[in-house]
Amino acid sequence: MQHLSEVLKILDGALKANASMASSYAGLLADKLEQDGERQQARQLRERLARAPVALVSAQDAGHGVSLGQLPTDNESRLNTVDVSRPRSLDIELVLPSAIQGRLNEFLQCVRHFDELARAGAAVPSRLLIYGPPGTGKTQTARWLAAQLELPLLTVRCDTLVSSLLGQTSRNLRRVFDFAEQNPSILFLDEFDALAGARGNERDVGELQRVVIALLQNIDALPDSTILVAATNHDQLLDAAIGRRFAFHLPMPLPDAGLRTALWQRWLNSFAPDGLDWDELSHLSAGTTGAVIEHVCMDAKRTAILAGQPLIEESDLYRRLGLAQALALGERLSTSEQEIAWLRQWAPDRFSLRVLGAMYSHSTRKITSIIQAEKGENNGNKKGARRR
Ligand SMILES: Nc1ncnc2c1ncn2[C@@H]1O[C@H](COP(=O)(O)OP(=O)(O)O)[C@@H](O)[C@H]1O
Ligand SMILES: [Mg+2]
């Protein structure tokens, strides 16, 4: 039978006297039937849905295929414990190494063909764990998945969940998981380490441990077909018991030279300066993330637009990249003199005395003396540190 999982969910909703669950999945089923060309059947379903009680209809999100019931909230803060978004594929582009993209596509295929695989006894739970350094595209990947599957993304704000009075957390978790089970969606636990790293962390025993246990129970109680994605910056903090519960693991690497070029091209697009040396740009941005590249490009674009220029200025682009690299290395540059000295030693070929002079409106002689003075300061500091 086609669309068995929707039919089962509608049945679940009816048996649990949960009208919102039943109607959500009936709406989804109507959409799927329509996509299959079964317009007559889709219309019949929608006519039934239109007869649902008013309270239910108002909870539905008109104009979009999938409707959602009442959002779960945190009792104390009254904040929603989840953010609902509906990413669209047009807005999202992922730049990933081919093997990682391959694994992601495999996950997508398994989710799409869950029923078929289940009939053959070959289904895997639709659960994906994404891990890697900040800014490598983990959240973006979850959004991309939601866009591909045309499902709402329920992002759980793990910070709200935890900080909102620890005693409440387990109950909040239960609500969020119930909600995800009852509404066609992707449940996305972002910054997952806030929840999952607790076990064995001596400072937070007790209450947080209970949260982890609740989390494990919730994951275990989830039907295999409910799509669960979790993202974390610290996979080493993750509890092994939690890692095992995810059938798919996606390690997000820092972009290599080729991917950095692709990321620069993606974000500079039509604003790229004429004759830009992509290899040099890729080389100088070694060790950065996609997030940094995006940030540098956006800042440079804004500057160009506000100056009424159609293209970004090359030296401005490199300067911004240099400052971002300094930040990543923990260099604190609070004066333009420090910036000048840093840029000169970071990329001496690119930042000649003349280029720096033009950029900071100084003579080359002045630039030379600034660099000398900064060198002296640095050496002085180092000696001072040694003496102490
Ligand atoms: N591999 C990538 N592909 C496309 N965009 C990326 C990639 N990595 C980072 N970005 C960009 O950087 C920004 C931050 O990425 P995000 O997904 O929030 O990182 P993370 O969740 O890993 O900290 C996003 O706006 C995204 O556009
Ligand atoms: Mg993120």
Side-chain angles (χ1 to χ4, degrees), residues 135 137-140 188 190-191 231 233:
K138 298 183 295 298
T139 303
Q140 188 80 337
F188 177 41
D190 203 3
E191 309 288 335
N233 295 330

Side-chain angles (χ1 to χ4, degrees), residues 76-154:
E76 282 303 302
S77 60
R78 289 272 148 223
L79 290 173
N80 284 337
T81 38
V82 295
D83 284 329
V84 181
S85 60
R86 300 170 188 279
R88 294 186 325 133
S89 55
L90 296 176
D91 311 335
I92 304 164
E93 194 183 329
L94 278 183
V95 181
L96 295 177
S98 53
I100 302 289
Q101 183 67 51
R103 263 186 244 185
L104 191 58
N105 291 342
E106 198 181 319
F107 176 71
L108 203 57
Q109 287 296 84
C110 288
V111 170
R112 281 205 172 117
H113 300 284
F114 186 87
D115 288 350
E116 209 176 317
L117 292 169
R119 275 199 297 277
V124 264
S126 303
R127 294 175 197 162
L128 174 71
L129 180 63
I130 312 173
Y131 56 91
T136 47
K138 298 183 295 298
T139 303
Q140 188 80 337
T141 300
R143 298 181 63 237
W144 181 85
L145 276 171
Q148 294 297 314
L149 292 167
E150 296 182 29
L151 287 174
L153 186 66
L154 307 181

Side-chain angles (χ1 to χ4, degrees), residues 284 318-348 351 356 360 370-371 374-375 378:
L284 282 175
Y318 279 104
R319 178 177 152 269
R320 289 178 187 282
L321 173 59
L323 299 184
Q325 291 285 46
L327 200 66
L329 290 170
E331 291 277 343
R332 257 176 269 155
L333 308 177
S334 42
T335 62
S336 36
E337 285 77 10
Q338 287 170 342
E339 283 187 18
I340 290 169
W342 162 264
L343 291 173
R344 176 74 184 153
Q345 67 132 73
W346 173 63
F351 292 102
L356 285 168
Y360 287 88
I370 287 174
I371 291 169
E374 286 297 321
K375 249 190 215 150
N378 275 344

Side-chain angles (χ1 to χ4, degrees), residues 33-254:
L33 287 169
E34 174 125 40
Q35 275 167 19
D36 296 347
E38 301 284 357
R39 299 179 60 185
Q40 179 75 14
Q41 293 182 9
R43 211 189 58 222
Q44 284 181 344
L45 272 170
R46 293 207 178 101
E47 279 170 12
R48 289 292 161 92
L49 279 174
R51 279 185 245 148
V54 179
L56 204 64
V57 174
S58 66
Q60 294 178 3
D61 189 7
H64 200 285
V66 176
S67 60
L68 296 173
Q70 189 72 43
L71 291 178
T73 55
D74 175 59
N75 269 359
E76 282 303 302
S77 60
R78 289 272 148 223
L79 290 173
N80 284 337
T81 38
V82 295
D83 284 329
V84 181
S85 60
R86 300 170 188 279
R88 294 186 325 133
S89 55
L90 296 176
D91 311 335
I92 304 164
E93 194 183 329
L94 278 183
V95 181
L96 295 177
S98 53
I100 302 289
Q101 183 67 51
R103 263 186 244 185
L104 191 58
N105 291 342
E106 198 181 319
F107 176 71
L108 203 57
Q109 287 296 84
C110 288
V111 170
R112 281 205 172 117
H113 300 284
F114 186 87
D115 288 350
E116 209 176 317
L117 292 169
R119 275 199 297 277
V124 264
S126 303
R127 294 175 197 162
L128 174 71
L129 180 63
I130 312 173
Y131 56 91
T136 47
K138 298 183 295 298
T139 303
Q140 188 80 337
T141 300
R143 298 181 63 237
W144 181 85
L145 276 171
Q148 294 297 314
L149 292 167
E150 296 182 29
L151 287 174
L153 186 66
L154 307 181
T155 302
V156 174
R157 304 191 304 209
C158 293
D159 50 341
T160 325
L161 211 56
V162 172
S163 65
S164 69
L165 248 197
L166 283 171
Q168 290 272 345
T169 313
S170 310
R171 214 174 320 142
N172 285 339
L173 262 181
R174 180 74 241 141
R175 286 200 195 121
V176 171
F177 275 71
D178 278 346
F179 186 78
E181 197 180 323
Q182 291 162 13
N183 295 278
S185 58
I186 296 180
L187 175 57
F188 177 41
L189 305 174
D190 203 3
E191 309 288 335
F192 191 50
D193 25 299
L195 284 179
R199 203 140 69 165
N201 180 344
E202 285 174 36
R203 222 160 34 92
D204 300 310
V205 277
E207 195 55 48
L208 265 177
Q209 257 193 23
R210 235 168 298 155
V211 174
V212 176
I213 292 164
L215 181 65
L216 294 179
Q217 286 170 344
N218 277 301
I219 294 179
D220 290 340
L222 218 52
D224 285 353
S225 60
T226 302
I227 309 166
L228 175 67
V229 177
T232 168
N233 295 330
H234 307 286
D235 65 309
Q236 70 278 18
L237 271 186
L238 269 184
D239 201 299
I242 288 177
R244 253 186 281 118
R245 283 170 164 86
F246 289 83
F248 295 84
H249 285 206
L250 202 68
M252 301 290 276
L254 289 174

